[in-house]
Amino acid sequence: MKILTLETTCDETAAAVITGDFKVLASVVASQDNLHQRFHGVVPEIAARAHVERILPVIDETVKKAGITLDELDAIAVANTPGLAGSLLVGLVAAKTLCVALKLPLVAVNHLHAHIYACKLASGEDVFPCIGMIVSGGHSNLYRCNAPSDFEYLGGTIDDAAGEAFDKVASMLGLPYPGGPAVSQAAVNGDRKAYRFPRSFLNDESKLAFSFSGLKTAVRYAITGGATSEFVRPDLSEQQIADLAASFEEAVVDCLVGKALLAVRQSGLSTLCVGGGVAANRRLRERLAVETEKANISLHIAPHELCTDNAVMGAIAIERFRAGLIEDLDLDLIPGLVRQ
Ligand code: KG4
Ligand code: ZN
């Protein structure tokens, strides 16, 4: 069996061909980072237009790299939720068109579940049931993952996602987009205790929730020296930038590690899977490794290349396909401002 998976939820146009025994025959990711850089964030209209230009060349390149022809495929999978509406639409229309032309079944992928599934793919172990944490530019969610097609939402951010906070803090510090890698790099030479930033809900064991918006404001005030109506960045020394980055990063990491461990404790399970762009963060990986070892939790973090958006993690579609979860061609996109 061979499946073509498409991913266009945000600002990466990606496709992969994966076999029934989870061998990746080809994976192509066309990043749009350079298009969004000067806006310090993803501009939805630009993202959608870039997907339109890239989706067919990306599919062509993927199929060629896999060394197959389209008629050797057994199914088409596409991430239809959550994401930017215009971006999702491009992948969905491409997938449906291929299904009609090739008379193939359509399989839907939840992008967040796929991020967590990347951990299973990489480890090759049966990680289910587990607690899954997805930390990306748009989401910071905790799930009880009973099976590949049975994810139960436990809690998440009540405002910004962790990656969004990294991107905005990078912009405030004058660092490039995407902010996560830049902040993480700047933090290497910083003092994590130089600034005492807030850790929302961390000491409240009754809540599996995150909040990063107050943290963003606290960083802003630390930069400007207090509340100002307009943000004007003063001249910051390299050491000040490093200290701000390190103190901010530590606050995010404390919250993510604290709540992930709380979710595992409350669930009675003993496996934690962590995926999404922010899971590439060096400090988060380090702290998760230490804390899960202490707590005797088996930890699976997606490998770097599967943390940020890609179509390989769409291999979760193989499990759905085998479970008979095939979609009608009127499948809609769900931008997903609601919890899922
Ligand atoms: O999963 P992803 O590629 O796209 C979404 O689904 O949102 O995640 C992108 C996010 C961006 O906010 C980026 O700044 C963040 O992941 N990110 C990181 C790191 N690498 C990427 N955040 C912290 N540390 C990193 N090393
Ligand atoms: Zn993502």
Side-chain angles (χ1 to χ4, degrees):
M1 178 206 174
K2 294 182 191 74
I3 186 164
L4 173 72
T5 59
L6 302 181
E7 155 63 46
T8 62
T9 59
C10 187
D11 62 338
E12 262 92 31
T13 318
V17 175
I18 305 161
T19 64
D21 53 357
F22 299 97
K23 198 167 158 238
V24 180
L25 295 185
S27 164
V28 174
V29 181
S31 164
Q32 301 178 8
D33 280 353
N34 61 331
L35 300 181
H36 302 286
Q37 214 138 30
R38 70 191 172 104
F39 304 103
H40 293 278
V42 177
V43 182
E45 183 64 21
I46 294 177
R49 284 169 189 269
H51 283 307
V52 170
E53 285 167 12
R54 293 162 189 214
I55 188 76
L56 295 180
V58 164
I59 293 172
D60 270 349
E61 188 184 337
T62 308
V63 169
K64 264 192 208 109
K65 269 194 178 162
I68 62 161
T69 52
L70 285 173
D71 54 13
E72 288 176 62
L73 291 168
D74 297 283
I76 308 288
V78 63
N80 73 319
T81 188
L84 301 170
S87 294
L88 289 164
L89 185 63
V90 179
L92 192 57
V93 169
K96 287 180 181 179
T97 309
L98 285 169
C99 287
V100 171
L102 302 166
K103 298 192 177 55
L104 289 178
L106 176 67
V107 187
V109 168
N110 177 310
H111 176 78
L112 303 181
H113 301 178
H115 265 305
I116 293 169
Y117 190 78
C119 300
K120 177 187 174 352
L121 263 185
S123 78
E125 285 173 39
D126 188 8
V127 298
F128 296 96
C130 65
I131 291 297
M133 180 165 74
I134 148 87
V135 273
S136 71
H139 297 86
S140 301
N141 291 353
L142 286 158
Y143 295 91
R144 184 188 172 100
C145 316
N146 298 312
S149 42
D150 180 7
F151 280 55
E152 210 179 301
Y153 176 83
L154 298 176
T157 182
I158 60 160
D159 41 56
D160 299 326
E164 145 83 13
F166 268 99
D167 293 335
K168 289 297 175 300
V169 165
S171 160
M172 288 192 275
L173 292 175
L175 299 171
Y177 174 85
V183 169
S184 178
Q185 185 54 40
V188 170
N189 301 316
D191 175 2
R192 297 182 194 115
K193 295 199 175 114
Y195 297 85
R196 184 71 201 158
F197 289 134
R199 281 125 168 101
S200 300
F201 304 134
L202 185 57
N203 296 320
D204 181 350
E205 296 234 330
S206 72
K207 283 199 175 68
L208 279 179
F210 304 108
S211 165
F212 297 113
S213 133
L215 170 60
K216 249 171 34 181
T217 309
V219 175
R220 183 190 197 274
Y221 289 173
I223 294 172
T224 54
T228 51
S229 53
E230 216 179 308
F231 178 78
V232 183
R233 185 173 48 252
D235 279 339
L236 296 170
S237 70
E238 225 169 273
Q239 192 56 50
Q240 278 174 312
I241 293 177
D243 289 346
L244 284 159
S247 302
F248 159 76
E249 182 177 60
E250 199 66 2
V252 175
V253 168
D254 275 349
C255 295
L256 296 178
V257 173
K259 292 301 178 188
L261 264 67
L262 176 63
V264 176
R265 269 203 309 281
Q266 287 183 347
S267 69
L269 300 172
S270 57
T271 305
L272 173 65
C273 289
V274 184
V278 181
N281 184 269
R282 185 193 47 84
R283 182 67 181 152
L284 176 61
R285 297 174 86 94
E286 214 171 78
R287 287 279 309 284
L288 279 171
V290 171
E291 299 301 329
T292 51
E293 189 171 350
K294 274 195 224 157
N296 216 4
I297 295 167
S298 150
L299 173 69
H300 301 271
I301 312 182
H304 279 89
E305 68 279 11
L306 295 188
C307 280
T308 44
D309 290 346
N310 64 86
V312 172
M313 64 193 191
I316 192 172
I318 294 168
E319 309 257 13
R320 291 181 66 82
F321 179 74
R322 291 200 170 125
L325 297 168
I326 306 298
E327 308 300 328
D328 290 333
L329 285 180
D330 63 355
L331 175 73
D332 212 347
L333 57 90
I334 311 167
L337 298 172
V338 289
R339 290 171 183 168
Q340 49 187 323

